[in-house]
Amino acid sequence: MKYTRTENPYYKELFSFIPGVENAGKVTTVEAETLTEKEFSEKWVSKNEACLVKGAVKHWSASRKWGDKEYWKTFGEDFNIHIHPQRNFNNTALHNSKKFETSFHKAIDRFFSQEDPKEILSLPAEVIDKNNVFAPLEKDIEGFHFLKNPKKTLAYPPLRFFLYKNASTSWHYHDVDETLMCQIKGDKLVCLLRPDIPNVKEVTSYLNNEEYISGKKLDEIKDLKPLIVEAKEGDALYIPIHWFHSVIPVDSEAGVTLAYCWGNSFHKFGNLTDYFVQRMYKQVLWPIGKFTFLMPFLGLYSVLSYGINKISGKI
């Protein structure tokens, strides 16, 4: 069953309270077949602009295999795993409050079953790594011709998958690392906010702390100029750093999303007037951690890189 936007219960839950959402803009769409590495880098990644890459992953083996529930049972012997019977919250305690342990094979059967079409299930952010049980999935990911040599990630694992049924994801943004949200099975609706939103400090606190759960409202006069895009099966949505976004399903079927991440250019940490850049430095500088003493050097390099890119017109 596929929901219309007005009928979608998750739209009301996570999108409807955003000022300006009724007149939301659209994310620019580009065709994967004609997108070059140079264009993707210079027009979208370097400028920190979101775009939807149509058909970016339709050629992957994953697009043929990951929709088959029996394929998910081919990793060897069964094993236990934790499942969340609710959407993905920012608050860790809330997110884990109802999780339960079950065998992976039983979980897969529940995800792909339509016995209870309203059941909410989430297996979020499972890492695909050569040293874990999901290592076989990596061979199904063929990469992108417009991103041939991605940089090593700074924080996030390069590959994480999200298996879901009726599960949405709370508003959040990424401090570091570029992301292509790849729709392997099923479609999703994504609402995004640019980093230059008005009242940025207030909005950031509101969304990060999920204050909308308690019914608190944002100032409706402040149009946040949100963007909404439907990422269909086979598409990949480029989500730059510092872009708030929330993700909801558009139907009650099992779906699979892959977060494909790579390291961003340091010029994105060089604009010291940017609220999100300031916030990132403050978070790393205090409390003191293993990266604290490297931050002055990173900051200087980033500022110089930002200045050079700004003067040259690349950003």
Side-chain angles (χ1 to χ4, degrees), residues 119-183:
E119 182 178 36
I120 300 175
L121 293 173
S122 176
L123 180 59
E126 287 292 332
V127 176
I128 300 173
D129 182 88
K130 64 180 180 180
N131 297 316
N132 69 19
V133 70
F134 297 117
L137 293 176
E138 189 168 1
K139 70 179 185 299
D140 300 331
I141 302 166
E142 280 87 359
F144 308 94
H145 70 268
F146 55 85
L147 182 64
K148 294 177 181 176
N149 297 297
K151 295 180 180 179
K152 185 177 179 180
T153 56
L154 299 173
Y156 291 96
L159 302 171
R160 293 169 293 142
F161 76 85
F162 297 72
L163 181 60
Y164 63 91
K165 183 169 76 170
N166 291 315
S168 51
T169 300
S170 288
W171 284 92
H172 66 289
Y173 72 91
H174 308 142
D175 272 316
V176 297
D177 291 330
E178 309 291 3
T179 302
L180 277 164
M181 189 197 87
C182 307
Q183 274 309 108

Side-chain angles (χ1 to χ4, degrees), residues 174-230:
H174 308 142
D175 272 316
V176 297
D177 291 330
E178 309 291 3
T179 302
L180 277 164
M181 189 197 87
C182 307
Q183 274 309 108
I184 307 299
K185 173 175 167 48
D187 305 341
K188 278 184 172 178
L189 206 61
V190 187
C191 191
L192 304 102
L193 302 176
R194 293 179 179 277
D196 59 352
I197 49 178
N199 291 6
V200 61
K201 186 175 181 179
E202 173 194 343
V203 173
T204 298
S205 176
Y206 177 84
L207 295 177
N208 276 348
N209 296 317
E210 300 170 295
E211 294 176 15
Y212 44 85
I213 294 176
S214 65
K216 182 178 178 181
K217 301 289 186 180
L218 283 168
D219 184 353
E220 294 184 5
I221 298 175
K222 301 292 185 183
D223 185 351
L224 301 185
K225 293 181 170 52
L227 305 174
I228 291 183
V229 60
E230 185 169 359

Side-chain angles (χ1 to χ4, degrees), residues 29-262:
T29 297
V30 296
E31 295 294 332
E33 291 182 359
T34 58
L35 182 63
T36 66
E37 189 171 24
K38 185 174 187 292
E39 180 187 3
F40 183 58
S41 174
E42 295 182 357
K43 189 173 182 179
W44 305 105
V45 179
S46 289
K47 295 182 184 297
N48 218 48
E49 282 289 327
C51 68
L52 180 71
V53 187
K54 293 293 295 181
V57 299
K58 67 179 183 181
H59 65 287
W60 285 6
S61 300
S63 293
R64 299 191 303 273
K65 297 177 179 179
W66 293 11
D68 178 5
K69 77 171 186 177
E70 296 305 322
Y71 181 71
W72 287 95
K73 300 178 182 179
T74 62
F75 302 143
E77 294 184 7
D78 199 3
F79 54 93
N80 281 2
I81 198 163
H82 285 99
I83 305 297
H84 301 261
Q86 59 196 16
R87 70 175 171 88
N88 302 312
F89 294 96
N90 294 336
N91 183 294
T92 303
L94 187 60
H95 179 63
N96 292 327
S97 62
K98 296 180 180 179
K99 73 176 181 179
F100 62 92
E101 188 175 11
T102 185
S103 83
F104 184 66
H105 290 183
K106 287 181 179 178
I108 289 298
D109 287 337
R110 284 182 65 171
F111 273 102
F112 283 86
S113 170
Q114 277 293 294
E115 185 175 333
D116 181 2
K118 294 185 178 181
E119 182 178 36
I120 300 175
L121 293 173
S122 176
L123 180 59
E126 287 292 332
V127 176
I128 300 173
D129 182 88
K130 64 180 180 180
N131 297 316
N132 69 19
V133 70
F134 297 117
L137 293 176
E138 189 168 1
K139 70 179 185 299
D140 300 331
I141 302 166
E142 280 87 359
F144 308 94
H145 70 268
F146 55 85
L147 182 64
K148 294 177 181 176
N149 297 297
K151 295 180 180 179
K152 185 177 179 180
T153 56
L154 299 173
Y156 291 96
L159 302 171
R160 293 169 293 142
F161 76 85
F162 297 72
L163 181 60
Y164 63 91
K165 183 169 76 170
N166 291 315
S168 51
T169 300
S170 288
W171 284 92
H172 66 289
Y173 72 91
H174 308 142
D175 272 316
V176 297
D177 291 330
E178 309 291 3
T179 302
L180 277 164
M181 189 197 87
C182 307
Q183 274 309 108
I184 307 299
K185 173 175 167 48
D187 305 341
K188 278 184 172 178
L189 206 61
V190 187
C191 191
L192 304 102
L193 302 176
R194 293 179 179 277
D196 59 352
I197 49 178
N199 291 6
V200 61
K201 186 175 181 179
E202 173 194 343
V203 173
T204 298
S205 176
Y206 177 84
L207 295 177
N208 276 348
N209 296 317
E210 300 170 295
E211 294 176 15
Y212 44 85
I213 294 176
S214 65
K216 182 178 178 181
K217 301 289 186 180
L218 283 168
D219 184 353
E220 294 184 5
I221 298 175
K222 301 292 185 183
D223 185 351
L224 301 185
K225 293 181 170 52
L227 305 174
I228 291 183
V229 60
E230 185 169 359
K232 293 183 175 294
E233 189 170 297
D235 297 342
L237 175 64
Y238 167 55
I239 305 176
I241 63 171
H242 304 154
W243 282 62
F244 265 110
H245 54 284
S246 178
V247 186
I248 64 175
V250 300
D251 58 43
S252 59
E253 303 286 332
V256 187
T257 301
L258 177 82
Y260 186 105
C261 296
W262 71 101

Side-chain angles (χ1 to χ4, degrees), residues 258-278:
L258 177 82
Y260 186 105
C261 296
W262 71 101
N264 47 266
S265 298
F266 283 106
H267 78 259
K268 294 192 177 186
F269 305 136
N271 181 5
L272 299 183
T273 65
D274 182 277
Y275 171 78
F276 293 102
V277 173
Q278 294 175 5

